[in-house]
Amino acid sequence: MKRLFGIVVLLAVAMSMQAQEVRHEVELITTKGPVRVVLYNETPKHRDNFLRLVREGFYDGVLFHRVINRFMIQTGNGGTRQLQPDQPVPDLPEAYKVPAEICFPQLFHKRGALAAAREGDSGNPERASSMSEFYIVYGRIFSDAQLDATQERVSKATGGKAVFTPEIRKVYKTIGGTPHLDGQYTVFGEVVEGMNVVEDIEFVKTDSTDRPLQEVRILKARVVK
């Protein structure tokens, strides 16, 4: 009987561990094609907030309103659904912010990283994230000298807390990304399918405010796992 009880306990523990390992995935169906992202369990507040907004249909119809070549593509502003080409992107007040969950060096700004936008440090010293706006990193490849210079910049911004490990440096030298943001913004997922779509959006022509001249929208966002 004791042996049977022990087996049941082990099975329960195994199932619990397996449940913790499950990672949710979301598909963003854009006017350029589908992008599939996985959400990290290491950032549960951002994961749960993103899943809730997706399920509510919040992202359906919003623009990629800020695109910077060899940097990132940004979306999630609810005021852009009905925005006309001659209207500026609205700076709408948000109902709440998401507390920062910066997990550097485990999670960093490699190419394909999904991260939360936020207000600047001066008005947001806790680096809390936007309720809904997020960006997908494209970035570029860095040399050792460029990473050394970027490390100085990051060290100053984080009080020396964010230091590139050899593994992170290798990723930035081979895959690319935006290392100057490390330790300052919450990375909460990554692209697992559709980086070619991200690249297509990344290289669209933009105006002086970094807004694409030809609209790029999320037609539908849905939880797929």
Side-chain angles (χ1 to χ4, degrees):
M1 188 68 177
K2 289 182 179 179
R3 183 178 179 183
L4 179 60
F5 177 75
I7 292 173
V8 171
V9 170
L10 288 173
L11 285 172
V13 170
M15 291 175 66
S16 176
M17 292 178 62
Q18 185 178 15
Q20 291 176 5
E21 292 173 359
V22 171
R23 299 199 301 180
H24 292 282
E25 296 184 13
V26 169
E27 184 179 45
L28 306 173
I29 302 171
T30 79
T31 50
K32 291 284 189 180
V35 178
R36 188 168 176 140
V37 298
V38 65
L39 307 180
Y40 297 143
N41 292 329
E42 293 86 346
T43 51
K45 294 184 178 66
H46 286 72
R47 176 199 64 201
D48 294 348
N49 180 68
F50 192 70
L51 289 171
R52 181 179 61 79
L53 292 175
V54 168
R55 288 173 174 138
E56 290 177 354
F58 180 91
Y59 293 114
D60 298 353
V62 299
L63 285 175
F64 281 91
H65 64 275
R66 184 168 178 248
V67 173
I68 301 178
N69 185 255
R70 300 190 185 280
F71 180 26
M72 57 89 225
I73 61 175
Q74 184 173 337
T75 184
N77 183 324
T80 64
R81 291 189 193 89
Q82 307 298 327
L83 200 65
Q84 299 301 311
D86 59 340
Q87 295 177 318
V89 175
D91 185 15
L92 300 176
E94 296 187 321
Y96 60 89
K97 288 183 173 63
V98 183
E101 295 178 296
I102 300 170
C103 299
F104 185 85
Q106 182 179 6
L107 308 177
F108 58 100
H109 285 79
K110 63 185 178 182
R111 180 166 290 174
L114 172 71
R118 65 172 178 84
E119 295 178 356
D121 289 356
S122 59
N124 180 27
E126 295 180 351
R127 293 172 170 164
S129 300
S130 163
M131 176 191 84
S132 60
E133 290 198 30
F134 65 90
Y135 58 92
I136 297 174
V137 171
Y138 188 81
R140 60 186 178 88
I141 291 174
F142 287 75
S143 66
D144 278 316
Q146 289 170 328
L147 285 174
D148 290 342
T150 305
Q151 178 65 80
E152 291 184 12
R153 178 179 174 184
V154 170
S155 294
K156 183 177 180 180
T158 64
K161 293 180 180 179
V163 178
F164 303 147
T165 65
E167 294 78 14
I168 289 175
R169 290 178 70 97
K170 182 178 180 180
V171 170
Y172 284 137
K173 290 192 296 180
T174 56
I175 298 173
T178 57
H180 70 280
L181 300 180
D182 281 342
Q184 303 155 75
Y185 291 76
T186 297
V187 176
F188 66 98
E190 66 179 277
V191 174
V192 290
E193 291 179 16
M195 269 307 294
N196 60 312
V197 176
V198 174
E199 185 173 14
D200 285 347
I201 299 172
E202 170 73 13
F203 287 94
V204 299
K205 293 182 179 180
T206 58
D207 63 17
S208 60
T209 67
D210 302 316
R211 179 176 168 183
L213 296 176
Q214 183 178 11
E215 290 186 351
V216 184
R217 294 185 182 272
I218 297 177
L219 300 174
K220 178 71 177 178
R222 62 191 186 100
V223 179
V224 292
K225 182 178 178 181

